[in-house]
RNA sequence: GGGCGGUUAGCUCAGCGGGAGAGCACCUCCCUGACACGGAGGGGGUCACAGGUUCAAAUCCUGUACCGCCCACCA
């Protein structure tokens, strides 16, 4: 409804400046982002944010994902959902501990100088002081999160969740402690899980060493010469003719006083190297397995820093120093058969600090992944959770279906301490949050903390209050969407699925997993600080505004696809926003006022046309948003706004304003309506400008709480679309002709532009304005033709060619058939009791929606077919 | 070693069975009362290659080449 309100003067260029921050704080103060206090009968929509690290700063990847999550939640909020976007941060175990340790190092201290308790206090202190910078940066971006529900993975409540699930998993025999070969970072001095290890190709050398002498000698090949100090056997394939006779014998291990057996083991590939393998059970996972099978002793020859222990002259050498040293010693003994044969193989590196990972025998806690991973796979297989885009589901299955047990203990101080106490009598007690730990000297708590991802895995439930059965948990779980990068499927998505399905008895943590690509630079390279190609999103926000950055990111967001981004794109978005700004400015200056749209009969063709086009755009954009097709939704809005509203409708409106009062008034209302709807459609992506323009245009309280536009088929107007299409073709043809003739723009030329086609007669004023011709009417021109007569030179425009009627009819017919087919498929399904009885409600309602959509399509296309000019 | 994706205009990409497209860049004209962060017009591609299916293939199938990503305990 129109209402009188002060209309601010808008400057000719949009300047984001401080207005963005002001608007944001106003939204927060008014509580727009906080769901109602009490649950209502509104449908709910919830997203938990992938918690950024406390140490983190907003980078382009955050800006990207946050823009999309914000767009999803803003739209749902406008649609009237009970909407929650929950923010928070992750304590980020190793990362944060490293930051504080570095700080201590600058003071010449180590964490051991402080002791555990003081160190942890220090980290908390750091967190209070410097942590969470990213939260302020999120405000700058415009993230509509509910700050009253902000969470941190080390909050008391979340820690309770961690301890609860640990205990439950332990009691269910899904957590166990064992001595295993694990990935060890000799710099971080902690165990790592498999996925915290990055494999990189390394140019190693394969060295062949002869063990033993004479007939009993055997030659082994290795890239890790130094580990021979820890060998406790040589393995060959049991069927290998070359070596079969040696199985059961022993050889002298060079440089040591030990004799080691030769064993037969299927694991050995006779084709590789010499077909004989040195076996180092304490320093290689395969060898560990062989050792287990043959009951071999385990000789540890490296300490936790990768330094050789107690092996004569090599003691105290780093593993990389030991390699040439041991090689030299063997060479001296004449034991090297072949060396320096280049051999490229994958070597594990710590994903945190890039140090070469050392497989190490150690006592750690593990999650027995089997049943949990199975359930995680099943939830996607049976459709409780949908992965989008579907291609990426394969990655998820590959991982989940073949997952190793997860090493969860970390030899760090910052994190959730393992809730296990050991008695001197050998007793082990695993305690839940409400149990009192044993006291006294006879008891000691496990020194280790849990992998950061252990608590992250609980994020969707712990942030909502689990293990308590809170109102939020009932109201917002399962969450609607998890939106995150495909790079984090294993680290996070799969583990949330495992833990949360387990904790909630099979209820999935999210209905949909929407996976985004990664942000790259203009040349497709990953953005990274070290490569020097990373751009701070705040720089661009500063320069072009948050909206411009957001629009750019949304426009690049094709599902699961990486997004190259350059400053030129951001400039382009800024230009688009400025275009919208000026479009609304035009409307305001010309008295555009929202109000009741006059009935169709009272509207000019152009008004009917733009309303029809608007309707189609609303439909299209809604479908695209529903399908997480942000790039296409943004693109659709971009082209509708620029090509149709601003390039054509605004120009036509200029003429309309000079016509009769009634027509001018109608156009003012239609223009205001089109701008209003356009702004609302754009708001999820570019919240700031749209708020500013929309309140100026409508006098409403805030676009944040405005209604979301829905299409109405009554606005579809095939006749108007055809007619205005004709007009556009004529105008374009004439303009091209003018350009070819070298006529200067705005040079008025007397010309005849005539046809019997009604649109051209009715729109002679507009035609004159758009082509800078003086249009005359003549009745000697046949139907379907227009003639342009400029200074004695004439061209005839074949308007029947302007719209290829047969082709258009064929296209529409095809669309109609498709719609009819979709309708009949949906009808069949819905008429089948087996389907309606057994399929989940969600699937059934989707099918109903599909039926409705198909019926609407049929009606629309039929109308368009009827409106097509005959012949 | 396994798996996945890509190869379309100078660049970045969309299209995935009947018309080769978008943004940016480029050329020409224009500071017109919304906007030069703009307007009007224009040029530019044997859709990687080779076969096949089809009335019809950038689009489906097979193979080849190159590029990228993920996974991986063959020394």
């Amino acid at each position: 409804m129109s209402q009188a309100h002060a209309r601010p003067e808008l400057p000719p260029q949009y300047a984001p400046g401080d207005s963005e921050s002001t608007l944001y704080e106003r939204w927060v103060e008014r509580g727009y982002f906080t769901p109602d206090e009490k649950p209502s009968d509104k449908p709910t929509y919830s997203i938990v944010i992938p918690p950024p690290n406390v140490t983190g700063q907003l980078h382009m990847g955050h800006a990207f994902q946050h823009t999309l999550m914000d767009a999803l939640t803003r739209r749902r909020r406008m649609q009237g959902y009970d909407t929650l976007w929950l923010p928070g941060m992750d304590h980020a175990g190793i990362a944060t501990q490293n930051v504080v340790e570095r700080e201590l190092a600058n003071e010449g201290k180590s964490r051991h100088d402080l002791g555990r308790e003081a160190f942890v206090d220090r980290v908390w202190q750091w967190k209070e002081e410097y942590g969470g910078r990213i939260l302020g940066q999120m405000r700058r971006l415009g993230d509509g999160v509910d700050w009253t529900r902000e969470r941190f993975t080390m909050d008391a409540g979340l820690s309770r969740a961690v301890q609860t699930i640990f205990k439950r998993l332990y009691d269910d025999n899904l957590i166990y402690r064992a001595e295993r070969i694990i990935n060890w970072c000799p710099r971080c001095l902690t165990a790592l899980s498999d996925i915290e290890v990055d494999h990189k190709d390394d140019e190693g050398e394969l060295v062949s060493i002869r063990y033993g002498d004479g007939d009993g000698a055997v030659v082994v090949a290795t890239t890790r010469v130094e580990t021979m100090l820890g060998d406790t056997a040589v393995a060959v394939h049991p069927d290998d003719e070359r070596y079969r006779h040696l199985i059961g014998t022993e050889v002298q291990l060079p440089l040591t006083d030990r004799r080691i057996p030769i064993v037969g083991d299927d694991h050995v590939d006779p084709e590789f190297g010499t077909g004989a393998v040195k076996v180092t059970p304490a320093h290689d996972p395969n060898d560990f397995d062989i050792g287990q099978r043959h009951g071999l002793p385990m000789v540890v020859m490296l300490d936790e820093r990768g330094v050789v222990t107690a092996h004569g002259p090599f003691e105290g050498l780093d593993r990389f120093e030991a390699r040439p040293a041991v090689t030299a010693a063997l060479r001296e003994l004449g034991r090297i058969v072949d060396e320096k044969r280049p051999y490229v193989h994958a070597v594990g590196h710590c994903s945190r600090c890039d140090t070469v990972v050392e497989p190490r025998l150690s006592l750690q806690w593990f999650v027995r992944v089997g049943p949990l991973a199975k359930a995680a796979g099943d939830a996607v297989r049976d459709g409780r959770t949908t992965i989008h885009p579907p291609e990426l589901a394969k990655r998820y299955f590959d991982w989940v279906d073949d997952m190793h047990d997860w090493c969860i203990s970390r030899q760090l101080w910052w994190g959730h301490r393992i809730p296990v106490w050991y008695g001197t009598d050998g007793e082990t007690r695993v305690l839940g949050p409400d149990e009192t730990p044993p006291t006294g000297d006879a008891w000691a708590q496990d020194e280790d903390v849990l992998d950061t991802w252990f608590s992250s895995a609980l994020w969707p439930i712990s942030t909502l209050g689990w293990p308590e059965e809170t109102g939020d948990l009932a109201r917002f779980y399962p969450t609607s969407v998890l939106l995150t990068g495909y790079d984090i499927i294993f680290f996070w998505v799969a583990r949330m699925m495992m833990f949360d399905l387990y904790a909630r008895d099979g209820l999935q943590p999210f209905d949909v997993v929407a996976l985004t690509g990664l942000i790259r630079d203009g040349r497709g390279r990953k953005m990274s600080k070290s490569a020097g190609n990373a751009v701070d999103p705040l720089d661009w926000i500063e320069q072009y505004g948050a909206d411009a950055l957001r629009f750019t990111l949304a426009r690049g967001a094709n599902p699961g696809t990486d997004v190259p981004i350059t400053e030129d794109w951001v400039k382009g978005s800024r230009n688009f926003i400025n275009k919208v700004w000026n479009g609304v400015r035009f409307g305001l200056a010309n008295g555009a006022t929202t109000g009741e749209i006059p009935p169709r009969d009272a509207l000019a063709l152009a008004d009917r046309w733009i309303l029809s086009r608007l309707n189609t755009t609303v439909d299209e954009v809604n479908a695209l948003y529903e399908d997480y097709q942000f790039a296409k939704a943004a693109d659709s809005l971009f082209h509708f706004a620029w090509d149709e509203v601003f390039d054509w409708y605004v120009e036509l409106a200029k003429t309309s304003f000079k016509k009769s009062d009634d027509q001018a008034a109608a156009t003012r209302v239609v223009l205001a309506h089109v701008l209003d709807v356009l702004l609302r459609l754009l708001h999820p992506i570019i919240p700031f400008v749209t708020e500013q323009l929309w309140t100026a245009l409508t006098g409403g309280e805030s676009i944040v709480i405005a209604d979301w536009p829905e299409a109405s088929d009554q606005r579809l107007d095939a006749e108007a679309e055809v007619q205005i299409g004709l007009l556009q073709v004529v105008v374009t043809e004439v303009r091209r002709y003018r350009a070819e003739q070298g006529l200067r723009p705005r040079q008025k030329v007397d010309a005849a532009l005539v046809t019997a086609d009604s649109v051209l007669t009715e729109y002679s004023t507009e035609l004159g304005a758009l082509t800078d011709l003086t249009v005359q009417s003549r009745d000697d021109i046949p139907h379907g033709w227009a003639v342009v007569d400029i200074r004695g030179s004439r061209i005839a425009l074949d308007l029947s060619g302007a719209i290829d009627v047969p082709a258009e009819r064929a296209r529409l017919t095809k669309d109609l058939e498709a719609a009819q087919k979709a309708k009949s498929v949906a009808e069949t399904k819905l008429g089948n009791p087996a389907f309606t009885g057994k399929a989940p409600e969600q699937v059934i309602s989707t099918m109903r929606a599909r039926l409705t959509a198909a019926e609407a399509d049929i009606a629309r296309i039929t109308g368009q077919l009827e409106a097509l000019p005959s012949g």
Side-chain angles (χ1 to χ4, degrees):
Chain A
M1 282 297 96
S2 75
Q3 61 186 98
H5 61 275
R7 297 204 153 187
E9 286 281 313
L10 263 32
Q13 276 196 356
Y14 173 59
D18 296 334
S19 59
E20 294 184 339
S21 302
T22 313
L23 290 174
Y24 187 83
E25 295 311 324
R26 190 183 302 157
W27 291 333
V28 172
E29 277 165 30
R30 292 180 181 172
Y32 291 159
F33 304 141
T34 304
D36 301 336
E37 225 163 281
K38 284 189 184 151
S40 56
D41 51 3
K42 289 190 213 167
T44 59
Y45 190 80
S46 54
I47 294 183
V48 291
I49 207 165
N53 290 355
V54 249
T55 56
Q57 298 227 48
L58 192 81
H59 62 238
M60 215 48 93
H62 293 125
F64 178 46
Q65 292 175 9
H66 289 199
T67 296
L68 304 187
M69 279 183 268
D70 200 30
L72 287 174
T73 47
R74 280 179 188 272
R75 174 163 172 270
R76 283 286 189 252
R77 193 175 293 116
M78 291 172 78
Q79 285 177 320
Y81 282 67
D82 183 16
T83 305
L84 170 66
W85 182 16
L86 186 145
M89 288 185 296
D90 194 286
H91 67 279
I94 302 185
T96 311
Q97 175 156 335
N98 281 351
V99 167
V100 177
E101 283 195 283
R102 221 171 296 138
E103 203 179 77
L104 280 177
N106 288 338
E107 301 165 19
K109 283 187 269 186
S110 82
R111 67 176 152 135
H112 300 283
D113 295 330
L114 296 191
R116 183 166 190 145
E117 209 171 315
F119 178 77
V120 170
D121 282 348
R122 174 84 183 235
V123 181
W124 276 107
Q125 205 182 314
W126 183 92
K127 187 229 166 204
E128 294 314 317
E129 215 167 323
Y130 306 105
R133 235 173 315 181
I134 193 167
L135 300 178
Q137 297 168 331
M138 282 166 59
R139 301 169 105 80
R140 201 66 197 77
L141 237 199
D143 290 353
V145 296
D146 179 9
W147 293 109
T148 68
R149 281 179 171 82
E150 186 194 330
R151 298 288 185 267
F152 180 53
T153 47
M154 297 260 288
D155 285 347
L158 279 76
S159 299
R160 218 179 136 72
V162 166
Q163 202 173 341
T164 304
I165 196 129
F166 189 98
K167 167 86 170 152
R168 262 182 71 175
L169 286 166
Y170 180 82
D171 290 344
D172 280 350
N173 194 26
L174 291 171
I175 278 186
Y176 64 92
R177 194 182 196 213
E179 188 158 50
R180 291 278 180 84
I181 294 269
I182 45 84
N183 304 294
W184 181 266
C185 175
R187 198 213 64 85
C188 300
L189 298 178
T190 179
L192 304 171
S193 66
D194 292 346
I195 48 177
E196 286 167 293
V197 176
D198 298 331
H199 289 90
K200 296 181 190 176
D201 276 348
D202 195 56
E203 298 227 354
E205 285 170 358
L206 199 56
V207 178
S208 300
I209 313 165
R210 183 167 45 85
Y211 288 0
D213 297 291
D215 291 346
V218 62
V219 176
V220 297
T222 183
T223 53
R224 297 208 55 192
V225 178
E226 73 283 7
T227 61
M228 59 83 56
L229 297 171
D231 284 3
T232 57
V234 170
V236 297
H237 195 276
D239 302 331
D240 192 331
E241 293 298 337
R242 294 169 296 177
Y243 300 118
R244 200 151 56 173
H245 64 288
L246 293 176
I247 294 172
T249 66
E250 289 189 338
V251 286
Q252 176 68 38
L253 184 64
L255 300 173
T256 71
D257 54 8
R258 290 187 288 121
R259 292 182 65 78
I260 57 174
I262 295 176
V263 299
D265 195 289
D266 288 337
H267 165 78
V268 179
D269 175 6
E271 305 293 316
F272 188 90
T274 61
V277 188
K278 60 191 273 308
V279 182
T280 324
H283 294 284
D284 181 280
N286 287 311
D287 294 5
F288 177 82
D289 291 341
I290 296 177
Q292 293 287 310
R293 284 196 285 272
H294 299 276
L296 300 174
M298 294 190 271
V299 173
V300 174
M301 48 73 59
L302 290 172
D303 69 9
E304 76 271 13
R305 291 174 192 278
V307 172
V308 178
T309 56
H311 281 85
F314 306 107
E315 181 171 354
L317 291 181
D318 177 79
R319 53 193 167 144
F320 297 114
E321 299 167 348
R323 189 170 302 167
V326 171
T327 308
L330 288 169
R331 195 183 300 121
E332 223 162 278
L333 292 175
R335 293 272 157 196
I336 302 286
V337 178
D338 183 13
E339 66 177 313
K340 304 222 184 240
R341 184 186 300 176
Y343 179 68
V344 177
H345 62 141
V347 174
H349 292 70
C350 173
S351 61
R352 208 73 246 162
C353 71
D354 210 40
T355 303
V356 173
V357 161
E358 190 61 43
R360 182 162 188 258
L361 186 66
S362 94
L363 187 60
Q364 304 284 348
W365 285 94
F366 296 86
V367 171
R368 193 183 313 282
V369 148
L372 299 170
K374 168 88 170 49
D378 288 346
V380 175
R381 271 184 257 272
D382 67 24
R384 270 171 287 165
T385 295
T386 309
I387 292 181
H388 184 95
E391 304 92 82
L392 285 171
K394 192 174 183 326
R395 264 194 211 190
Y396 173 82
F397 288 132
D398 283 351
W399 165 257
V400 142
D401 292 345
D402 184 28
M403 193 177 179
H404 295 188
D405 280 358
W406 173 16
C407 174
I408 50 171
S409 43
R410 294 294 115 95
Q411 288 63 51
L412 303 171
W413 287 351
W414 176 242
H416 299 99
R417 193 150 170 192
I418 293 181
V420 177
W421 278 258
Y422 307 103
T424 44
D425 60 356
E427 194 191 337
T428 297
R429 281 197 203 165
V430 177
L431 299 187
D434 296 320
E435 296 175 271
T436 319
T439 49
D441 293 344
W443 288 94
Q445 187 177 359
D446 195 299
E447 291 293 324
D448 293 348
V449 301
L450 290 163
D451 183 1
T452 291
W453 296 100
F454 191 95
S455 55
S456 313
L458 295 170
W459 187 250
I461 59 176
S462 62
T463 52
L464 294 173
W466 191 88
E468 262 54 71
E469 291 297 332
T470 60
D472 274 4
L473 195 60
R475 188 173 169 194
F476 296 114
Y477 189 92
T479 66
S480 308
V481 180
L482 173 79
L483 189 141
T484 192
Y486 64 68
D487 57 329
I488 211 171
I489 295 175
F490 310 137
F491 278 104
W492 197 41
V493 181
R495 284 160 173 181
M496 282 191 283
M497 290 294 281
M498 287 177 9
F499 274 21
D500 303 346
L501 283 164
Y502 170 79
R504 301 307 292 160
D505 299 321
L507 201 53
Q508 70 281 7
F510 12 77
D511 299 334
V512 174
V513 176
L515 295 165
T516 70
L518 275 25
I519 299 293
R520 300 183 174 272
D521 71 6
R523 282 190 277 169
R525 298 172 308 181
K526 222 177 205 168
M527 273 202 180
S528 79
K529 271 188 209 161
S530 50
N533 64 342
V535 179
D536 185 344
L538 296 168
D539 288 348
W540 281 346
I541 289 176
E542 202 56 47
Q543 207 171 341
Y544 303 105
D547 285 331
L549 177 65
R550 293 173 58 121
F551 193 77
T552 306
L553 292 165
R555 228 184 152 191
N558 284 116
T561 309
D562 291 349
V563 186
I565 183 170
T566 66
E567 190 162 0
D568 280 345
W569 281 46
V570 185
K571 273 187 200 162
S573 301
R574 186 267 321 264
N575 295 353
F576 171 66
I577 287 165
N578 191 240
K579 188 76 184 174
V580 175
W581 177 267
N582 275 288
V584 175
R585 207 164 74 98
F586 169 83
L588 290 171
N590 287 282
T593 313
T594 48
E596 189 87 26
I597 296 170
R600 190 185 127 119
D601 294 348
L603 293 175
L605 206 52
D607 295 329
R608 283 163 49 199
W609 166 74
I610 199 66
L611 288 172
S612 180
R613 292 293 310 132
L614 174 70
N615 195 263
T616 304
T617 304
V618 169
D619 240 352
E620 206 171 280
V621 168
N622 272 324
L624 292 168
Y625 271 128
E626 285 300 326
D627 198 29
Y628 308 96
Q629 301 275 5
F630 300 98
K632 289 177 183 63
D635 201 56
S636 173
L637 287 166
F638 177 91
H639 285 290
F640 172 69
W642 205 315
D643 300 348
E644 308 201 69
V645 180
F646 301 133
D647 280 353
W648 286 100
Y649 184 65
V650 161
E651 294 308 317
L652 291 168
K654 283 175 184 171
T655 307
S656 177
F657 289 144
K658 291 177 195 150
K659 290 191 172 171
S660 75
D661 288 353
D662 280 354
Q663 184 163 141
T667 297
R668 282 195 187 93
V669 174
V670 172
L671 176 60
H673 175 73
V674 171
L675 293 172
D676 167 25
V677 172
L678 178 63
L679 289 171
R680 284 186 277 144
L681 291 174
L682 283 167
H683 178 256
I685 304 176
I686 48 173
F688 295 113
V689 238
T690 50
E691 171 78 329
Q692 232 177 311
L693 292 174
W694 189 83
T695 47
L697 180 72
T698 67
E701 177 187 325
S702 171
I703 196 172
V704 176
I705 53 168
D707 288 338
W708 181 256
E710 294 296 339
S712 143
D713 290 335
Q714 291 165 346
R715 290 289 171 213
L716 286 174
D717 196 327
E719 187 196 357
E721 293 204 26
V722 169
Q723 294 290 300
I724 295 293
L726 204 59
L727 175 118
Q728 289 175 322
V729 171
V730 172
V731 169
T732 305
E733 287 297 317
V734 172
R735 281 173 177 168
R736 181 191 300 140
Y737 182 69
R738 282 188 58 119
E740 280 166 7
Q741 295 301 309
L743 290 171
R744 298 177 64 79
R746 277 166 302 110
Q747 184 183 351
K748 277 278 180 189
V749 178
D750 280 340
L753 195 161
V754 194
T755 168
D757 284 272
S758 62
V759 64
L760 301 184
T761 313
E762 186 183 331
Y763 272 76
S764 57
T765 319
E766 282 83 352
L767 276 171
L770 293 169
T771 58
D772 291 307
L773 296 183
T774 306
V775 177
Q776 301 162 6
S777 202
R778 243 164 44 191
D779 52 15
D780 59 339
I781 309 292
H783 259 290
W785 289 82
V787 168
V788 185
D789 192 339
I790 299 174
R791 292 195 295 206
S793 142
R794 304 176 128 207
I795 53 159
L797 300 175
D798 180 354
L799 299 181
S800 66
I803 292 177
D804 184 344
V805 175
E808 189 70 1
R809 176 162 292 128
R811 190 182 65 80
L812 288 169
T813 307
K814 203 176 137 196
D815 289 353
L816 185 63
E817 281 164 9
Q820 279 162 342
K821 192 178 166 193
K823 185 187 169 189
S824 89
V825 167
E827 275 174 342
T828 312
K829 282 215 159 191
L830 289 167
N832 180 358
F835 174 77
T836 47
K838 287 182 185 161
E841 184 50 40
Q842 205 185 337
V843 176
I844 296 174
S845 65
T846 307
M847 198 51 66
R848 281 206 201 91
R850 211 172 281 173
L851 177 62
T852 318
E855 282 167 345
D857 282 347
I858 290 169
R860 191 193 75 227
I861 297 164
T862 309
Q864 289 179 346
L865 273 170
E866 281 166 6
L868 224 46
S870 54

